[in-house]
Amino acid sequence: MILQRLLGDRIDGGSLTLVLPDGQRSSVGTGAPEIVARIHDKGALLALLRNPRLAFGELYMEGRLTLDQGSLINLLSLVIGANRFEDGGHKGRLKKQLGFIKSLLPRRNDATAARRNVAHHYDLDERLYRLFLDPDLQYSCAYFHDTARGLAGAQADKKAHIAAKLDLRPGQRVLDIGCGWGGMALTLNRLAGVEVLGVTLSEEQLRVARQRAEEAGVADQVRFELVDYRALAGRFDRIVSVGMFEHVGAAHYGEFFAKCRELLTDDGVMLLHTIGKYGKAGKPDPFTDKWIFPGYHLPSLSQMMAASEEVRLIATDVETLRLHYAYTLRHWLANCHAHRAEIVALYDERFFRMWEYYLAAGAVAFENGAMNNFQVQYVRDRRALPITRDYMVEAEQRYRAMLAG
Amino acid sequence: MILQRLLGDRIDGGSLTLVLPDGQRSSVGTGAPEIVARIHDKGALLALLRNPRLAFGELYMEGRLTLDQGSLINLLSLVIGANRFEDGGHKGRLKKQLGFIKSLLPRRNDATAARRNVAHHYDLDERLYRLFLDPDLQYSCAYFHDTARGLAGAQADKKAHIAAKLDLRPGQRVLDIGCGWGGMALTLNRLAGVEVLGVTLSEEQLRVARQRAEEAGVADQVRFELVDYRALAGRFDRIVSVGMFEHVGAAHYGEFFAKCRELLTDDGVMLLHTIGKYGKAGKPDPFTDKWIFPGYHLPSLSQMMAASEEVRLIATDVETLRLHYAYTLRHWLANCHAHRAEIVALYDERFFRMWEYYLAAGAVAFENGAMNNFQVQYVRDRRALPITRDYMVEAEQRYRAMLAG
């Protein structure tokens, strides 16, 4: 019964059995994968009915919803697959069906818990990231030009893809907003002889990035600073920002684009790489907002364009990476599973399950939910770039070969 | 003095002398091109001060503003070049400076004249279009992959560019909304063995398109109908629409995208090619709206995205063609000049000047104004296309060779 409420009358490609606290079993669907999920207490059942999008992840994390058979990602695929964005998502049916239940239940305020638990995503131990990311520590959507090249290859190809869109020349000054552990900045320098300033707000990332620049002997060309991009002055020939815009928040889009325009030279080029949404940007996923990325916001293309048009940034090229992040997340998830013992040793079982849920839910959201990854190329002046995309194709092949060789 | 009001204190790259009705001369700028424009009567001067964007074209058309020296397009380039979109356009300075003058002058209502004069752009004599378009009668932005290939080559390359983005397979059903004289439909059939239905609202275009399909021996595969796309039923694997969206009007964007989604198969692909604006879509150019394309509206990307997101069409790829339409219009303008006598014989001197102004003003608007040409690729399902753009690059090279050979 609860299953019908969540999934409707039928699901495609698999079956799901729910074992309730009193031992009662309820099933939908047929065939593989066969998933058996167990709900351990009545409170869990109520929470699931009240706020399924949040409770699902929390109950899994807390071990109050476990799997007797099958994998988490297949379970999530069944749920999201029954509510595909392409078919209108969960807005229609789920909202209607759950609305009346929700209205009967008391509300909790979890704000305190939210702040306490994970406000510091990027300050997590570097060892954690080393356990599931590629060796270059690219913590953003890879580009699977050739799936056979695996995660590390796809992350290299992503850097080549982005570098090609930046139309780089030796000696140019490049700003990397949200530089992570420095992999993109170091790669742009290596590929095109540009000088890069990478900025981050994480001391941990700064330390690692600086150390890597030292080790590569390019600390004079690739610098890193612990600074908010809004505090920067000067101008840059190129700006690249990968996986940072998600944290800007819709209320600050205008400020973001105005500052980027100000930091860009008249003939400058910017490449913005961000998770986005296909449809109208709605509320953030409650689990992700509470446990993983507090305050995150995923833009629709119309939102990004409205904000950037306002400051006369010209969007010259938009590519919607649709399934690449799903592939990326499935790699990360597999790496986490392979290093489960180490991750549990670093943190605990509960953390592992939270992390697992975050990655698995992300993968299925890119597969059937509203999520994608936009790459938007901006200029201030329409003449800043060649008139066709040929330069991208040529540079990308060259860069890809340099990184593969 | 009037010049300073229109252009500010300085202009770049050229000089402009204005000869007023009383013989008084006023100049700005230095160097080539040297342009000398003459205003023949005091009423013209007043009209220019009252509503420069409309009056400029009308006075030129009526022969009340003529050139003693220099070309129209260079004159327009000076004016627009002093008010580049990149520098904020004419909104700021011009608006302020002309506002007080405008407020002192009486207003005319030109609505009757507007309707009388050019409601029937596409019903103009086919012979006119043959005099300035390429042999395939492509009346939209070309793609100058190689400028040495001239207009006809660039129009062929445009068709290859669009065909590649449609990811065509033999036997697919393609709908061409606003098919013009049939060139795109015939080319898609030739390149990829697809069946095409082209729809137009112009009887003249329909006649020519059908005749061409007959002559090519493909009338069974490439059909043309005189029908509003909103009246169509059935579903198509691919939809292409080139240079038609400009006439839809912002109030009807929702209806347009909803109908396109309905006409597209679940795994369908659509390619929309339309003139657009870099910044926020504002009022239409008054001369173009009155004399050339009554009721036209140029969308910003944010407008298009907001309308298409509403019906869950997924924008997978956006390319902003920036200078291609300027090149195209300069070719068309040169062709008009080369065939001036024939065009004047078909219509009259006044028509020629109107047409000349429309093309020249268009060219400079693409060079320094707010205009561009968007190509937006849409799908209903994220899995409808390969995950990288490689298929586009491969198909385009193949198609380009087929059309060049």
Side-chain angles (χ1 to χ4, degrees), chain B residues 235-289:
Chain B
R235 302 182 76 184
F236 297 85
D237 302 299
R238 299 294 185 258
I239 295 177
V240 65
S241 185
V242 179
M244 176 274 187
F245 192 73
E246 296 87 331
H247 304 293
V248 169
H252 299 279
Y253 286 172
E255 180 187 26
F256 176 84
F257 285 114
K259 186 65 190 182
C260 287
R261 182 177 212 283
E262 180 192 320
L263 290 169
L264 211 53
T265 56
D266 288 352
D267 59 350
V269 178
M270 169 168 160
L271 195 284
L272 184 55
H273 171 113
T274 180
I275 301 173
K277 298 188 91 166
Y278 290 124
K280 294 201 300 185
K283 286 183 184 170
D285 173 69
F287 180 83
T288 308
D289 188 55

Short mmCIF file of all heavy atoms in Angstrom, two decimals, chain B residues 235-289:
data_model
loop_
_atom_site.label_atom_id
_atom_site.label_comp_id
_atom_site.label_asym_id
_atom_site.label_seq_id
_atom_site.Cartn_x
_atom_site.Cartn_y
_atom_site.Cartn_z
N ARG B 235 3.17 12.45 -35.34
CA ARG B 235 4.43 12.66 -34.63
C ARG B 235 5.59 12.50 -35.60
O ARG B 235 5.52 11.74 -36.57
CB ARG B 235 4.55 11.68 -33.46
CG ARG B 235 3.35 11.87 -32.51
CD ARG B 235 3.43 10.98 -31.33
NE ARG B 235 4.42 11.46 -30.35
CZ ARG B 235 4.71 10.77 -29.25
NH1 ARG B 235 4.13 9.62 -29.01
NH2 ARG B 235 5.61 11.23 -28.40
N PHE B 236 6.65 13.21 -35.31
CA PHE B 236 7.82 13.26 -36.18
C PHE B 236 9.07 12.90 -35.39
O PHE B 236 9.21 13.32 -34.24
CB PHE B 236 7.95 14.65 -36.80
CG PHE B 236 6.79 15.02 -37.68
CD1 PHE B 236 5.63 15.57 -37.15
CD2 PHE B 236 6.84 14.79 -39.06
CE1 PHE B 236 4.54 15.88 -37.96
CE2 PHE B 236 5.76 15.10 -39.87
CZ PHE B 236 4.61 15.66 -39.33
N ASP B 237 9.97 12.17 -36.04
CA ASP B 237 11.24 11.81 -35.39
C ASP B 237 12.13 13.04 -35.20
O ASP B 237 12.92 13.10 -34.27
CB ASP B 237 12.00 10.78 -36.24
CG ASP B 237 11.19 9.53 -36.48
OD1 ASP B 237 10.85 8.86 -35.47
OD2 ASP B 237 10.87 9.23 -37.64
N ARG B 238 12.00 13.97 -36.14
CA ARG B 238 12.83 15.16 -36.09
C ARG B 238 11.99 16.38 -36.47
O ARG B 238 11.12 16.28 -37.34
CB ARG B 238 14.00 15.05 -37.09
CG ARG B 238 14.96 13.87 -36.83
CD ARG B 238 15.71 14.05 -35.54
NE ARG B 238 16.71 13.02 -35.29
CZ ARG B 238 16.52 11.99 -34.45
NH1 ARG B 238 15.37 11.84 -33.81
NH2 ARG B 238 17.49 11.13 -34.25
N ILE B 239 12.28 17.51 -35.83
CA ILE B 239 11.68 18.77 -36.24
C ILE B 239 12.81 19.76 -36.49
O ILE B 239 13.73 19.87 -35.68
CB ILE B 239 10.72 19.33 -35.16
CG1 ILE B 239 9.51 18.40 -34.97
CG2 ILE B 239 10.25 20.73 -35.53
CD1 ILE B 239 8.56 18.84 -33.85
N VAL B 240 12.72 20.46 -37.61
CA VAL B 240 13.67 21.53 -37.86
C VAL B 240 12.87 22.79 -38.15
O VAL B 240 11.82 22.73 -38.80
CB VAL B 240 14.64 21.16 -39.02
CG1 VAL B 240 13.90 21.02 -40.35
CG2 VAL B 240 15.77 22.17 -39.14
N SER B 241 13.33 23.90 -37.62
CA SER B 241 12.64 25.16 -37.88
C SER B 241 13.69 26.25 -38.00
O SER B 241 14.42 26.53 -37.06
CB SER B 241 11.64 25.48 -36.77
OG SER B 241 10.90 26.64 -37.11
N VAL B 242 13.78 26.82 -39.18
CA VAL B 242 14.85 27.76 -39.49
C VAL B 242 14.25 29.10 -39.90
O VAL B 242 13.56 29.21 -40.91
CB VAL B 242 15.74 27.21 -40.64
CG1 VAL B 242 16.85 28.19 -40.98
CG2 VAL B 242 16.32 25.85 -40.26
N GLY B 243 14.49 30.11 -39.08
CA GLY B 243 14.03 31.45 -39.45
C GLY B 243 12.53 31.63 -39.41
O GLY B 243 11.99 32.45 -40.14
N MET B 244 11.85 30.87 -38.59
CA MET B 244 10.40 31.02 -38.45
C MET B 244 10.01 31.53 -37.07
O MET B 244 9.05 32.28 -36.92
CB MET B 244 9.74 29.66 -38.71
CG MET B 244 8.24 29.63 -38.51
SD MET B 244 7.79 29.31 -36.76
CE MET B 244 6.02 29.12 -36.90
N PHE B 245 10.80 31.16 -36.06
CA PHE B 245 10.47 31.50 -34.67
C PHE B 245 10.40 33.02 -34.45
O PHE B 245 9.70 33.49 -33.55
CB PHE B 245 11.52 30.87 -33.75
CG PHE B 245 11.18 30.89 -32.29
CD1 PHE B 245 10.20 30.04 -31.78
CD2 PHE B 245 11.83 31.75 -31.41
CE1 PHE B 245 9.88 30.05 -30.42
CE2 PHE B 245 11.53 31.77 -30.05
CZ PHE B 245 10.55 30.92 -29.56
N GLU B 246 11.11 33.78 -35.27
CA GLU B 246 11.10 35.24 -35.19
C GLU B 246 9.69 35.80 -35.32
O GLU B 246 9.39 36.91 -34.87
CB GLU B 246 11.97 35.85 -36.29
CG GLU B 246 13.45 35.52 -36.22
CD GLU B 246 13.83 34.22 -36.93
OE1 GLU B 246 12.98 33.31 -37.00
OE2 GLU B 246 14.96 34.14 -37.42
N HIS B 247 8.81 35.04 -35.99
CA HIS B 247 7.45 35.54 -36.24
C HIS B 247 6.44 35.01 -35.23
O HIS B 247 5.26 35.35 -35.31
CB HIS B 247 7.01 35.13 -37.66
CG HIS B 247 7.96 35.59 -38.72
ND1 HIS B 247 8.15 36.92 -39.02
CD2 HIS B 247 8.80 34.91 -39.55
CE1 HIS B 247 9.05 37.03 -39.98
NE2 HIS B 247 9.47 35.82 -40.31
N VAL B 248 6.89 34.17 -34.30
CA VAL B 248 5.96 33.55 -33.36
C VAL B 248 5.42 34.58 -32.35
O VAL B 248 4.22 34.61 -32.06
CB VAL B 248 6.64 32.36 -32.63
CG1 VAL B 248 5.79 31.88 -31.45
CG2 VAL B 248 6.88 31.21 -33.61
N GLY B 249 6.31 35.42 -31.84
CA GLY B 249 5.87 36.41 -30.86
C GLY B 249 5.95 35.84 -29.45
O GLY B 249 5.54 34.70 -29.20
N ALA B 250 6.44 36.66 -28.54
CA ALA B 250 6.70 36.19 -27.17
C ALA B 250 5.46 35.62 -26.51
O ALA B 250 5.55 34.66 -25.74
CB ALA B 250 7.28 37.34 -26.34
N ALA B 251 4.31 36.16 -26.82
CA ALA B 251 3.08 35.69 -26.18
C ALA B 251 2.75 34.26 -26.58
O ALA B 251 1.97 33.59 -25.91
CB ALA B 251 1.92 36.61 -26.53
N HIS B 252 3.34 33.80 -27.69
CA HIS B 252 2.99 32.47 -28.19
C HIS B 252 4.12 31.45 -28.02
O HIS B 252 4.03 30.35 -28.54
CB HIS B 252 2.61 32.56 -29.67
CG HIS B 252 1.41 33.42 -29.92
ND1 HIS B 252 0.12 32.98 -29.73
CD2 HIS B 252 1.31 34.71 -30.30
CE1 HIS B 252 -0.73 33.96 -30.01
NE2 HIS B 252 -0.03 35.02 -30.35
N TYR B 253 5.19 31.81 -27.31
CA TYR B 253 6.30 30.88 -27.15
C TYR B 253 5.85 29.59 -26.46
O TYR B 253 6.25 28.49 -26.84
CB TYR B 253 7.44 31.51 -26.34
CG TYR B 253 8.24 32.56 -27.12
CD1 TYR B 253 9.20 33.33 -26.48
CD2 TYR B 253 8.05 32.75 -28.48
CE1 TYR B 253 9.95 34.28 -27.16
CE2 TYR B 253 8.79 33.71 -29.17
CZ TYR B 253 9.73 34.47 -28.51
OH TYR B 253 10.46 35.40 -29.19
N GLY B 254 5.05 29.74 -25.44
CA GLY B 254 4.57 28.55 -24.72
C GLY B 254 3.81 27.61 -25.65
O GLY B 254 4.06 26.39 -25.67
N GLU B 255 2.94 28.18 -26.43
CA GLU B 255 2.14 27.40 -27.39
C GLU B 255 3.05 26.74 -28.42
O GLU B 255 2.87 25.56 -28.76
CB GLU B 255 1.18 28.37 -28.08
CG GLU B 255 0.26 27.76 -29.10
CD GLU B 255 -0.53 28.85 -29.85
OE1 GLU B 255 -0.04 30.01 -29.95
OE2 GLU B 255 -1.61 28.53 -30.35
N PHE B 256 4.03 27.47 -28.90
CA PHE B 256 4.96 26.93 -29.89
C PHE B 256 5.69 25.70 -29.34
O PHE B 256 5.69 24.64 -29.97
CB PHE B 256 5.99 28.00 -30.29
CG PHE B 256 7.06 27.51 -31.24
CD1 PHE B 256 6.85 27.46 -32.60
CD2 PHE B 256 8.30 27.06 -30.74
CE1 PHE B 256 7.83 26.99 -33.46
CE2 PHE B 256 9.29 26.59 -31.61
CZ PHE B 256 9.05 26.56 -32.97
N PHE B 257 6.28 25.84 -28.17
CA PHE B 257 7.06 24.73 -27.63
C PHE B 257 6.17 23.55 -27.25
O PHE B 257 6.54 22.39 -27.42
CB PHE B 257 7.92 25.19 -26.46
CG PHE B 257 9.12 25.99 -26.87
CD1 PHE B 257 9.24 27.33 -26.55
CD2 PHE B 257 10.13 25.41 -27.61
CE1 PHE B 257 10.34 28.08 -26.94
CE2 PHE B 257 11.25 26.14 -28.01
CZ PHE B 257 11.34 27.49 -27.67
N ALA B 258 4.99 23.85 -26.72
CA ALA B 258 4.07 22.76 -26.36
C ALA B 258 3.68 21.97 -27.60
O ALA B 258 3.64 20.73 -27.59
CB ALA B 258 2.83 23.33 -25.67
N LYS B 259 3.41 22.67 -28.69
CA LYS B 259 3.02 21.98 -29.93
C LYS B 259 4.19 21.18 -30.49
O LYS B 259 4.02 20.03 -30.94
CB LYS B 259 2.51 23.00 -30.96
CG LYS B 259 1.95 22.36 -32.23
CD LYS B 259 0.70 21.53 -31.95
CE LYS B 259 0.28 20.70 -33.16
NZ LYS B 259 -0.95 19.94 -32.92
N CYS B 260 5.38 21.75 -30.45
CA CYS B 260 6.56 21.02 -30.94
C CYS B 260 6.78 19.75 -30.12
O CYS B 260 7.07 18.68 -30.67
CB CYS B 260 7.80 21.91 -30.89
SG CYS B 260 7.81 23.20 -32.15
N ARG B 261 6.65 19.88 -28.82
CA ARG B 261 6.81 18.69 -27.97
C ARG B 261 5.80 17.62 -28.35
O ARG B 261 6.13 16.44 -28.46
CB ARG B 261 6.63 19.07 -26.50
CG ARG B 261 6.84 17.92 -25.56
CD ARG B 261 6.72 18.34 -24.10
NE ARG B 261 7.60 17.52 -23.27
CZ ARG B 261 7.33 16.27 -22.91
NH1 ARG B 261 6.21 15.71 -23.28
NH2 ARG B 261 8.18 15.59 -22.18
N GLU B 262 4.57 18.05 -28.58
CA GLU B 262 3.50 17.11 -28.94
C GLU B 262 3.79 16.42 -30.27
O GLU B 262 3.49 15.24 -30.45
CB GLU B 262 2.20 17.91 -29.01
CG GLU B 262 0.96 17.14 -29.37
CD GLU B 262 -0.19 18.09 -29.70
OE1 GLU B 262 -0.35 19.13 -29.01
OE2 GLU B 262 -0.91 17.82 -30.69
N LEU B 263 4.39 17.16 -31.21
CA LEU B 263 4.64 16.62 -32.54
C LEU B 263 5.89 15.74 -32.60
O LEU B 263 6.14 15.06 -33.59
CB LEU B 263 4.79 17.76 -33.55
CG LEU B 263 3.50 18.54 -33.88
CD1 LEU B 263 3.83 19.80 -34.68
CD2 LEU B 263 2.53 17.65 -34.67
N LEU B 264 6.68 15.78 -31.55
CA LEU B 264 7.96 15.05 -31.53
C LEU B 264 7.74 13.66 -30.93
O LEU B 264 7.03 13.51 -29.95
CB LEU B 264 8.94 15.85 -30.67
CG LEU B 264 10.43 15.82 -30.96
CD1 LEU B 264 10.74 16.18 -32.41
CD2 LEU B 264 11.15 16.78 -30.02
N THR B 265 8.38 12.65 -31.53
CA THR B 265 8.33 11.32 -30.91
C THR B 265 9.08 11.35 -29.58
O THR B 265 9.86 12.27 -29.31
CB THR B 265 9.00 10.27 -31.82
OG1 THR B 265 10.33 10.70 -32.11
CG2 THR B 265 8.23 10.10 -33.12
N ASP B 266 8.86 10.31 -28.77
CA ASP B 266 9.49 10.27 -27.45
C ASP B 266 11.01 10.42 -27.53
O ASP B 266 11.63 11.04 -26.68
CB ASP B 266 9.17 8.95 -26.74
CG ASP B 266 7.72 8.91 -26.27
OD1 ASP B 266 7.03 9.96 -26.36
OD2 ASP B 266 7.27 7.84 -25.83
N ASP B 267 11.60 9.82 -28.57
CA ASP B 267 13.06 9.91 -28.73
C ASP B 267 13.43 10.90 -29.85
O ASP B 267 14.47 10.76 -30.49
CB ASP B 267 13.66 8.53 -28.99
CG ASP B 267 13.09 7.89 -30.25
OD1 ASP B 267 12.10 8.42 -30.80
OD2 ASP B 267 13.64 6.85 -30.68
N GLY B 268 12.56 11.88 -30.06
CA GLY B 268 12.77 12.85 -31.13
C GLY B 268 13.80 13.91 -30.81
O GLY B 268 14.18 14.11 -29.65
N VAL B 269 14.27 14.58 -31.87
CA VAL B 269 15.24 15.66 -31.75
C VAL B 269 14.74 16.84 -32.56
O VAL B 269 14.22 16.67 -33.67
CB VAL B 269 16.63 15.23 -32.28
CG1 VAL B 269 17.63 16.39 -32.20
CG2 VAL B 269 17.16 14.02 -31.52
N MET B 270 14.91 18.03 -32.00
CA MET B 270 14.46 19.24 -32.69
C MET B 270 15.62 20.24 -32.77
O MET B 270 16.43 20.32 -31.85
CB MET B 270 13.31 19.86 -31.90
CG MET B 270 12.91 21.25 -32.34
SD MET B 270 11.34 21.70 -31.55
CE MET B 270 11.39 23.48 -31.72
N LEU B 271 15.72 20.93 -33.88
CA LEU B 271 16.74 21.96 -34.01
C LEU B 271 16.04 23.27 -34.40
O LEU B 271 15.42 23.37 -35.46
CB LEU B 271 17.78 21.57 -35.07
CG LEU B 271 19.11 22.32 -35.13
CD1 LEU B 271 18.97 23.70 -35.76
CD2 LEU B 271 19.75 22.48 -33.74
N LEU B 272 16.17 24.24 -33.52
CA LEU B 272 15.53 25.54 -33.71
C LEU B 272 16.61 26.56 -34.03
O LEU B 272 17.55 26.75 -33.25
CB LEU B 272 14.79 25.92 -32.42
CG LEU B 272 13.97 27.20 -32.40
CD1 LEU B 272 12.95 27.21 -33.52
CD2 LEU B 272 13.27 27.32 -31.05
N HIS B 273 16.45 27.21 -35.17
CA HIS B 273 17.43 28.19 -35.66
C HIS B 273 16.69 29.52 -35.76
O HIS B 273 15.75 29.64 -36.54
CB HIS B 273 17.94 27.69 -37.02
CG HIS B 273 18.80 28.64 -37.81
ND1 HIS B 273 20.14 28.40 -38.06
CD2 HIS B 273 18.51 29.79 -38.45
CE1 HIS B 273 20.64 29.38 -38.80
NE2 HIS B 273 19.67 30.23 -39.06
N THR B 274 17.08 30.47 -34.96
CA THR B 274 16.33 31.73 -34.94
C THR B 274 17.22 32.92 -34.60
O THR B 274 18.19 32.78 -33.84
CB THR B 274 15.17 31.68 -33.91
OG1 THR B 274 14.47 32.94 -33.93
CG2 THR B 274 15.67 31.44 -32.49
N ILE B 275 16.88 34.05 -35.16
CA ILE B 275 17.52 35.29 -34.71
C ILE B 275 17.13 35.53 -33.27
O ILE B 275 16.01 35.26 -32.86
CB ILE B 275 17.09 36.48 -35.58
CG1 ILE B 275 17.44 36.23 -37.05
CG2 ILE B 275 17.73 37.77 -35.10
CD1 ILE B 275 16.88 37.29 -38.00
N GLY B 276 18.08 36.01 -32.49
CA GLY B 276 17.79 36.31 -31.09
C GLY B 276 18.55 37.55 -30.65
O GLY B 276 19.21 38.21 -31.46
N LYS B 277 18.45 37.82 -29.36
CA LYS B 277 19.15 38.98 -28.81
C LYS B 277 20.08 38.54 -27.68
O LYS B 277 19.77 37.62 -26.93
CB LYS B 277 18.15 40.01 -28.29
CG LYS B 277 17.26 40.55 -29.39
CD LYS B 277 16.42 41.72 -28.90
CE LYS B 277 17.14 43.03 -29.14
NZ LYS B 277 16.23 44.19 -28.99
N TYR B 278 21.21 39.23 -27.57
CA TYR B 278 22.15 38.92 -26.50
C TYR B 278 21.56 39.25 -25.14
O TYR B 278 21.66 38.47 -24.21
CB TYR B 278 23.44 39.71 -26.68
CG TYR B 278 24.28 39.28 -27.84
CD1 TYR B 278 24.66 40.17 -28.84
CD2 TYR B 278 24.73 37.97 -27.94
CE1 TYR B 278 25.44 39.77 -29.90
CE2 TYR B 278 25.52 37.56 -29.00
CZ TYR B 278 25.87 38.47 -29.97
OH TYR B 278 26.66 38.07 -31.03
N GLY B 279 21.02 40.44 -25.05
CA GLY B 279 20.58 40.90 -23.75
C GLY B 279 19.12 40.62 -23.56
O GLY B 279 18.52 39.79 -24.24
N LYS B 280 18.55 41.29 -22.62
CA LYS B 280 17.14 41.12 -22.38
C LYS B 280 16.38 41.56 -23.62
O LYS B 280 16.66 42.60 -24.20
CB LYS B 280 16.71 41.97 -21.18
CG LYS B 280 17.33 41.50 -19.89
CD LYS B 280 16.55 41.98 -18.68
CE LYS B 280 16.47 43.49 -18.60
NZ LYS B 280 15.80 43.91 -17.35
N ALA B 281 15.41 40.74 -24.02
CA ALA B 281 14.64 41.07 -25.20
C ALA B 281 13.86 42.35 -24.95
O ALA B 281 13.11 42.45 -23.98
CB ALA B 281 13.71 39.92 -25.54
N GLY B 282 14.05 43.34 -25.80
CA GLY B 282 13.36 44.61 -25.61
C GLY B 282 12.35 44.83 -26.72
O GLY B 282 11.87 43.90 -27.34
N LYS B 283 12.05 46.08 -26.96
CA LYS B 283 11.11 46.42 -28.03
C LYS B 283 11.74 46.12 -29.38
O LYS B 283 12.95 46.25 -29.56
CB LYS B 283 10.77 47.90 -27.96
CG LYS B 283 9.84 48.24 -26.81
CD LYS B 283 9.48 49.72 -26.85
CE LYS B 283 8.63 50.09 -25.64
NZ LYS B 283 8.46 51.55 -25.53
N PRO B 284 10.93 45.75 -30.37
CA PRO B 284 11.48 45.53 -31.70
C PRO B 284 11.95 46.84 -32.31
O PRO B 284 11.52 47.92 -31.90
CB PRO B 284 10.29 44.96 -32.47
CG PRO B 284 9.08 45.39 -31.73
CD PRO B 284 9.49 45.51 -30.30
N ASP B 285 12.85 46.73 -33.26
CA ASP B 285 13.29 47.91 -33.99
C ASP B 285 12.08 48.51 -34.71
O ASP B 285 11.38 47.82 -35.44
CB ASP B 285 14.37 47.50 -35.00
CG ASP B 285 14.74 48.67 -35.89
OD1 ASP B 285 15.36 49.61 -35.39
OD2 ASP B 285 14.38 48.64 -37.08
N PRO B 286 11.82 49.81 -34.51
CA PRO B 286 10.58 50.38 -35.07
C PRO B 286 10.52 50.37 -36.59
O PRO B 286 9.45 50.18 -37.16
CB PRO B 286 10.57 51.81 -34.51
CG PRO B 286 11.97 52.09 -34.07
CD PRO B 286 12.57 50.77 -33.70
N PHE B 287 11.66 50.55 -37.27
CA PHE B 287 11.64 50.53 -38.73
C PHE B 287 11.32 49.12 -39.23
O PHE B 287 10.47 48.93 -40.10
CB PHE B 287 13.00 51.00 -39.28
CG PHE B 287 13.03 51.00 -40.80
CD1 PHE B 287 12.53 52.08 -41.51
CD2 PHE B 287 13.55 49.92 -41.50
CE1 PHE B 287 12.53 52.08 -42.91
CE2 PHE B 287 13.57 49.90 -42.89
CZ PHE B 287 13.06 51.00 -43.59
N THR B 288 12.01 48.13 -38.67
CA THR B 288 11.78 46.75 -39.10
C THR B 288 10.34 46.32 -38.81
O THR B 288 9.69 45.68 -39.63
CB THR B 288 12.76 45.80 -38.37
OG1 THR B 288 14.08 46.31 -38.54
CG2 THR B 288 12.68 44.40 -38.93
N ASP B 289 9.85 46.69 -37.64
CA ASP B 289 8.49 46.31 -37.26
C ASP B 289 7.46 46.95 -38.17
O ASP B 289 6.44 46.35 -38.50
CB ASP B 289 8.24 46.73 -35.81
CG ASP B 289 6.91 46.21 -35.28
OD1 ASP B 289 6.71 44.98 -35.35
OD2 ASP B 289 6.09 47.02 -34.82
#
